[in-house]
Amino acid sequence: MDEVEVVVAHSERATLRVGDVFLKVDADQARIGVEVDAMALAPVPTPEVLWRRPPVLAIAAVPGTALGRLGEPSTASPAAWAAAGAAIRKLHDAPLPPWPGGAGRDLAELRADLDNECERLVTIGSLPAGLVTRNREVAEAALRPWTPVFTHGDLQITHVFVEGDEVTGIIDWSEAGQGDALFDLAILTLGHEEHLGDVVAGYGTDVDLDVIRAWWSLRSLLVVRWLGEHGFDPFAPGCEVDVLRSRM
């Protein structure tokens, strides 16, 4: 019997690995349904769905290794980062799925949530007021009209697997749907600004770098408190708080 590895676990969901099988346990079956449907539609390498027995989804491991980890230097080559950019462009050029995704929130709602979160971060003393204010100013550039594309919605570097200079799989599609293309590019490069040029080169079209940087600030402001409350450390070197500090 293979050992059971807890990949991630918090109050909303858990992912376990047993050998070459990942077991995703999620009480929100709508979220699991989005993941299955998105993987079937996405024109990029995705994990094979082995079986689904609510609340568990079993998927096969993809070959290769993750592009990197937040807070650690990436050992992947510039060509691998460019390949990730090319894969994202292929996804963004695909026909739209019929549902909104995590990268497609209503702008008025997003602005209200951001303002509320900034106020709470300062009130409870999680972050200095000057740091929050500066990053709220930077984040404003992301709050603009955008043309919807097929987005992954949670494209962290740990969700993109490569082997050599090729993308072998993209995992964790529960936030996929219609959304802002630059959100995907921003989440992939969060904390790895040194690889933004490689990703954009692979993506193959001009993008607004100021909007990507704005998404870095916006995303970090929204998740700092949640991460701390769920057992993660946004203050670790190279992670979300350092991303916010880099905008000063």
Side-chain angles (χ1 to χ4, degrees):
M1 173 69 73
D2 291 298
E3 292 186 355
V4 176
E5 174 191 356
V6 179
V7 179
V8 63
H10 49 76
S11 60
E12 295 181 6
R13 68 190 86 165
T15 301
L16 311 175
R17 180 170 187 168
V18 185
D20 290 332
V21 177
F22 285 89
L23 303 175
K24 306 192 73 171
V25 185
D26 196 327
D28 186 344
Q29 285 304 292
R31 191 158 47 201
I32 289 291
V34 165
E35 179 153 12
V36 172
D37 291 345
M39 289 191 293
L41 293 173
V44 296
T46 61
E48 176 189 0
V49 175
L50 301 176
W51 48 265
R52 180 183 179 187
R53 297 170 193 159
V56 182
L57 173 67
I59 60 176
V62 297
T65 57
L67 193 60
R69 294 182 66 86
L70 185 61
E72 300 176 7
S74 172
T75 60
S77 68
W81 281 88
I88 299 167
R89 178 61 184 274
K90 189 173 183 180
L91 176 67
H92 290 173
D93 285 344
L96 286 172
W99 65 85
R105 293 185 59 192
D106 175 77
L107 290 180
E109 176 187 296
L110 184 58
R111 179 178 278 107
D113 285 351
L114 177 60
D115 288 340
N116 290 336
E117 192 62 29
C118 288
E119 182 178 355
R120 293 186 70 179
L121 287 170
V122 174
T123 299
I124 65 179
S126 293
L127 294 174
L131 182 65
V132 172
T133 298
R134 170 57 182 157
N135 277 276
R136 176 61 184 86
E137 293 170 351
V138 173
E140 185 64 29
L143 301 172
R144 85 284 176 229
W146 40 267
T147 301
V149 299
F150 189 164
T151 53
H152 179 279
D154 189 22
L155 200 63
Q156 303 174 51
I157 52 174
T158 52
H159 294 166
V160 179
F161 282 70
V162 296
E163 199 165 53
D165 298 336
E166 301 292 331
V167 173
T168 55
I170 300 177
I171 66 172
D172 284 1
W173 291 80
S174 61
E175 300 296 324
Q178 297 183 25
D180 179 5
L182 298 191
F183 179 88
D184 272 354
L185 296 176
I187 300 307
L188 180 68
T189 55
L190 181 77
H192 287 272
E193 186 169 1
E194 70 276 11
H195 293 293
L196 178 58
D198 299 323
V199 171
V200 171
Y203 194 70
T205 188
D206 290 337
V207 300
D208 191 329
L209 299 182
D210 287 339
V211 172
I212 290 178
R213 296 185 180 102
W215 273 120
W216 290 340
S217 291
L218 198 160
R219 167 78 168 195
S220 298
L221 287 169
L222 285 179
V223 302
V224 163
R225 187 173 55 84
W226 184 95
L227 290 169
E229 292 174 351
H230 288 78
F232 303 99
D233 185 7
F235 289 86
C239 293
E240 285 81 4
V241 174
D242 274 356
V243 171
L244 295 173
R245 289 170 178 154
S246 71
R247 297 303 104 196
M248 298 298 287

